[in-house]
Structure formats: C-alpha cells, structure tokens
C-alpha cells in the first residue's frame, strides 16, 4: 500500500487530488455535534494543499436514498473543514454535475473543494458492478490522483471506496495508515495482558469479533445492552432489558469456549434498572435503582452497569498492556446512565498499556463525557471498519489501495 508520503515525494503541485474522506458527522439540524471525523482528515488535506495540490474532498453523510436530500448535505462539514484548515473551502452542490466540475476547474494550486454527499447518487452504493463503475468513472474524471483516507467507510464496497482507486493512481492518507498500524497492534504482535471491553446494544453485532477474540484476548468485559443476552444465557431474569433470544445458543457456546481457552469472560455483577427508558432530549432525572445482575425485576430494564461492576471492570483493566474498547456500557447520553461508560473510559486512561477506543459510539462517548482525546493511545474513526478488521475480514477499501 503506497502512502501519501510517497505521493508528496513525487510532487503534487497543480495535480487534482481526490481525497475520499469520512465526513459522516452527527448533525442536529445543520449543527455538527461531534467534529472528530473532520479533524481526523485535516492532516492529509493540509499536507496536500500545502504542497500545491488542488484537493477535492468527498464523503458520504447518513443514509439518503440515492437522491439529493437537504437533511444530509455536506455543507456544514465543508464549512467546518474550512475553519479547521484556516482557509476558504469551496463547496459544490452536486457530486459529478456542473457545480462539481466548475468548483474543481476553479481550484488554484493549494486550494480545497468539497463536493456534495456521494450517496446523493445511487451509483455510489449500488450492488450492480456496472452502475457503481459508471459513477466511479465520472468521479475519476474530476481528478488525477486518488487518496483514500475515509477509514470509517473502507468496509463498504462502494464506488468511491472500492471502484474509484482502481481507475487512478492511488495512495493511503495519513488517517488510514495510522488506523491500519493500530489494528495490526491488536492482531499481529499483541502485548499482554490483552483486554477487550465490548458494549453497545446488540450482541449480534459483536458475535463475529467475539469469535475471533476468544483465540486472542486474555479477558473480555461485556456491558451495554448486549450483556443481557449473556445474563439470560446464564439463566438470570433480565426483565424488559434489551434481549436477543435467538442469540442465546451462540452466547452459551462462546461462554463454554472462553472457559476452555482460558479467556476470562467478565459479566456485570450489578446493573442500574428502571421501568422507563430515559428522556434523552430533556435529560429529566431518571431515578434508577441498583440491583444485582441476577435479581433484575421482571418489569425493569437494565440501562447501565452498576457501581460494583464499574470497580470490577476497572480492576480488570488496571494491568492491561493492550486494550480495545468498542461500545458504551449503558445509555451514556443520559447523565443518570453515563457512569458505567465513564468508568471504563477512565480505566483506559489509567491503564499502563496501549489503549484503543474503537470508534462509533465509544468515540462519541469519550468526547461527550469530556475526556482528553490525547489520554488514549488511539481513537478510531471507524467502529464498523475496526470490528470487521478484527474479525479477519477483507475490507474492500483497503484491498483496493493495496492493488
């Protein structure tokens, strides 16, 4: 995989460089609530612009239906990128039409343009190879060189991620190079003890990565909504907690294999419960009750790990040489259910080894809860991409860059 440093050494002055970024940021209307993914691509864009390239930045945002939708416009992201670069960024109101062509044609050396949401064109996400390739041809006409730096999308076989790099000289940006280097530390030459903390809503989303980690990790800490399927598999009452009954057989098999392989699989010993899901808009007090994990009332829902579990998980992370964390421990968006996620984040900060926050909601939680991002070894920009890499899958966007 050739990197951006090799491209810069070859010289980029006057060249049109297409940067596939990941500007898929959360929006409240037109207000960006977490700009982490935009900040992550700035080093690549700035290095190219400073070297005299004419930089075309492209990304998706959300899940529009293959047609323009103002709710998913990249205009706010383009404005924020300009603020972070300290320079004006042009914005094209289409992807491969007249506005995009005009914006690119008008670029001077060292300037940057953002084109509109790639998913406004059905060809971006099409499962039809010919339709995807046709859209990639139109994107290729805008540029001379391709730089892949949207790590959060490399697990997607989309036109701008998979097909486009085959049509242009291609290089990996700084973010992708960093992400791949970090993930290799979690798979190839792991320093031990290796502790993995997994949370989030659905156990089904994590089954494949758990399957792989049972042969690699020393400890697995389970929290979030997925924990209740594990607790149910142990025969516990879980009330009205999030539960995937159809996954219980797989969970039972994993618990047996963990014991056989000598992997310590740690489940909550107490949880915060309530009969109502909290109001995440008003943040009205929820008044949860703490109960033992094997004593959840039938009419209550588990919404966070309890204080004893927080202490337990912190102790299991205290000597870790390598940590990977993906998924919050509870409904961290509400202050009454944020302490479990906060405790795990703090334990990563305190851990002596290399700590990785695995993107998605975990990365959002770290920023929402006020942690210094520099206190972690790495905060990934791609939750799904990180998990699929750890599962051992071939990621289309990385494979395309390696050709």
């Amino acid at each position: 995989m050739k990197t951006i440093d090799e491209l810069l050494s070859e010289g980029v002055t006057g060249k049109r460089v297409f940067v596939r970024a990941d500007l898929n940021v959360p929006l409240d209307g037109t207000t960006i609530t977490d700009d982490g993914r935009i900040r992550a691509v700035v080093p690549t864009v700035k290095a190219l612009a400073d070297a005299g390239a004419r930089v075309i930045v492209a990304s998706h945002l959300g899940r529009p239906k293959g047609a323009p939708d103002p709710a998913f416009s990249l205009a706010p992201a383009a404005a924020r990128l300009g603020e972070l670069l300290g320079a004006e960024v042009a914005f094209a109101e289409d992807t491969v039409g007249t506005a995009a062509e005009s914006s690119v044609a008008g670029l001077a050396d060292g300037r940057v343009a953002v084109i509109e949401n790639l998913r406004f064109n059905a060809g971006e996400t099409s499962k039809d190879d010919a339709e995807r390739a046709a859209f990639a041809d139109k994107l290729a006409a805008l540029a001379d060189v391709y730089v892949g730096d949207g790590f959060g999308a490399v697990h997607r076989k989309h036109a701008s991620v998979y097909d486009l790099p085959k049509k242009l000289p291609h290089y990996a940006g700084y973010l992708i190079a960093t992400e791949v280097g970090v993930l290799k530390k979690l798979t190839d030459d792991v320093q031990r003890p290796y502790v993995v903390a997994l949370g989030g809503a659905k156990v089904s989303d994590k089954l494949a990565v758990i399957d792989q980690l049972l042969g690699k990790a020393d400890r697995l800490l389970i929290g979030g909504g997925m924990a209740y399927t594990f607790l149910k598999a142990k025969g516990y009452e879980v009330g009205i907690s999030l539960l995937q009954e159809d996954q219980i057989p797989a969970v039972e098999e994993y618990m047996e294999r963990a014991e056989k392989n000598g992997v310590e699989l740690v489940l909550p010993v107490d949880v915060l419960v309530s009969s109502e899901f909290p109001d995440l808009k008003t943040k009205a007090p929820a008044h949860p009750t703490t109960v033992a994990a094997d004593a959840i009332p039938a009419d209550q829902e588990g919404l966070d790990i309890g204080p004893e579990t927080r202490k337990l998980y912190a102790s299991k992370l205290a000597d870790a040489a390598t940590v990977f964390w993906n998924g919050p421990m509870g409904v961290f968006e509400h202050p009454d259910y944020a302490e479990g996620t906060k405790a795990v984040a703090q334990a990563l900060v305190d851990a002596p080894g290399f700590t990785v926050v695995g993107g998605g909601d975990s990365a959002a939680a770290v920023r929402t809860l006020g942690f210094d991002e520099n206190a972690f070894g790495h905060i990934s920009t791609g939750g799904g991409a990180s998990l699929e890499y750890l599962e051992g899958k071939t990621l289309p966007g990385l494979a395309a860059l390696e050709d």
Side-chain angles (χ1 to χ4, degrees), residues 1-10 15 44 144-149 165 168-178 180 397-403:
M1 186 186 294
K2 292 192 289 187
T3 69
I4 186 175
D5 284 332
E6 293 172 79
L7 172 60
L8 291 170
S9 70
E10 296 165 7
K15 288 186 177 179
T44 290
D144 306 305
V145 181
Y146 177 92
V147 171
D149 214 31
L168 295 170
H170 46 268
Y171 303 80
Y174 290 128
L175 175 61
I176 279 186
T178 298
V180 171
L398 296 185
L401 291 174
E402 288 167 354
D403 287 347

Side-chain angles (χ1 to χ4, degrees), residues 78-306:
R80 180 59 180 147
L81 178 62
E83 291 172 358
L84 292 166
L85 290 170
E88 183 181 353
V89 168
F91 179 66
E93 295 181 349
D94 59 22
T95 54
V96 292
T98 305
E101 293 170 358
S102 177
S103 292
V104 172
L107 281 176
D109 294 356
R111 303 311 294 259
V112 179
V114 174
I115 62 175
E116 186 55 285
N117 191 337
L118 292 164
R119 290 186 184 176
F120 284 1
N121 190 304
E124 170 67 1
T125 59
S126 176
K127 297 189 185 307
D128 181 273
D129 291 349
E131 185 179 8
R132 236 182 24 252
F135 182 50
D137 282 336
K138 293 179 180 178
L139 292 172
L142 296 173
D144 306 305
V145 181
Y146 177 92
V147 171
D149 214 31
F151 180 75
V154 293
H155 58 315
R156 307 294 188 191
K157 194 176 182 181
H158 290 170
S160 66
V161 175
Y162 178 73
D163 301 272
L164 181 56
K166 297 180 178 182
K167 301 176 183 296
L168 295 170
H170 46 268
Y171 303 80
Y174 290 128
L175 175 61
I176 279 186
T178 298
E179 294 272 13
V180 171
V182 166
L183 289 168
K184 285 182 176 178
K185 290 185 179 181
L186 301 177
T187 54
D188 296 343
D189 185 22
V190 180
Q191 299 298 305
R192 299 187 180 280
Y194 179 19
V195 186
V196 176
L198 295 175
K202 295 181 179 179
V203 68
S204 57
D205 293 342
K206 305 291 197 307
L207 284 180
V209 76
I210 292 172
D211 184 61
Q212 287 291 316
L213 291 169
L214 287 174
K216 293 189 173 87
D218 297 300
R219 296 177 202 133
L220 283 175
L221 315 181
I222 306 295
M226 64 184 286
Y228 301 101
T229 301
F230 280 85
L231 295 174
K232 186 70 171 181
K234 292 193 68 168
Y236 296 169
E237 169 65 58
V238 297
I240 58 172
S241 304
L242 191 60
L243 174 65
Q244 290 185 284
E245 292 259 14
D246 61 325
Q247 303 298 331
I248 288 176
V251 166
E252 289 174 335
E253 192 271 324
Y254 285 169
M255 290 193 292
E256 290 172 9
R257 185 140 56 95
E259 186 173 1
K260 180 180 177 181
N261 291 356
V263 177
E264 189 178 2
L265 199 158
V266 189
L267 299 176
V269 294
D270 62 345
V271 296
L272 269 62
V273 299
S274 175
S275 60
E276 295 183 327
F277 195 83
D279 188 324
L280 301 184
K281 286 190 175 180
T282 66
K283 304 291 197 319
H287 307 297
T289 303
T290 301
V291 300
D294 61 355
I296 298 174
D299 64 344
Q300 303 278 300
E301 178 179 11
L303 295 164
D304 194 14
I305 58 173

